[in-house]
Amino acid sequence: MGGADSDLARRAWRAMSAIALDHDRKVAVSEALGLSWARVLALRALATRPHTLRALAERLAADPPYVTLMVDDLEERGLVQRMPHPEDRRAKLVKLTAAGRAAAARADAILDEPPGALREVSAEDLAVMLRVLERLVR
């Protein structure tokens, strides 16, 4: 990639990062659910499947003691429950309750709502953007 292409790639990455890391969107989700962003991330991770505390800590790139505190709080709120691991009796699995699944779905609905400016982009440009982003995800 040449100098001009490198600069364009850097600018495109910065723009994508600004959208993906939108602080206001995180605040909106946190306020809607009454949870910290870290707890929202935990709910969204658990929505895919139950995790052990260790696996959840790895997925969130967080310290295991902090994840234990988060899970304790989420359990007190009725959003998760701990259950015995079917293959490792030393471990516990953390899974969402019905209320936890609803909270994770609400978070996804808020996060999936495109920014207003994106609605003003033509369908043709959106198709090109989507094709590029899907290529990057692969």
Side-chain angles (χ1 to χ4, degrees):
M1 183 181 300
D5 290 341
S6 179
D7 183 54
L8 281 173
R10 196 171 285 109
R11 288 175 48 209
W13 179 248
R14 187 171 293 135
M16 285 188 295
S17 294
I19 293 167
L21 302 174
D22 182 2
H23 178 73
D24 292 339
R25 189 64 58 99
K26 292 177 186 178
V27 170
V29 172
S30 292
E31 287 177 354
L33 297 179
L35 297 170
S36 70
W37 178 246
R39 283 163 176 73
V40 171
L41 291 177
L43 286 180
R44 293 182 76 218
L46 292 167
T48 62
R49 63 178 167 76
H51 285 66
T52 63
L53 286 171
R54 181 181 307 273
L56 186 58
E58 288 174 9
R59 173 107 184 246
L60 299 175
D63 292 329
Y66 178 58
V67 171
T68 298
L69 291 173
M70 284 195 313
V71 169
D72 288 346
D73 179 57
L74 293 171
E75 191 170 38
E76 287 175 20
R77 294 169 184 256
L79 300 173
V80 302
Q81 66 182 37
R82 288 178 170 98
M83 54 191 267
H85 193 290
E87 295 144 13
D88 182 355
R89 62 188 182 120
R90 297 168 297 159
K92 296 278 188 194
L93 282 178
V94 180
K95 74 175 211 170
L96 293 180
T97 62
R101 282 190 299 280
R106 187 165 182 214
D108 284 344
I110 294 168
L111 293 169
D112 286 347
E113 189 62 31
L118 195 57
R119 295 176 190 275
E120 298 170 14
V121 176
S122 72
E124 181 180 294
D125 285 348
L126 284 174
V128 171
M129 183 183 348
L130 180 59
R131 204 167 40 250
V132 170
L133 292 172
E134 287 175 339
R135 187 177 331 146
L136 292 173
V137 171
R138 283 189 226 135

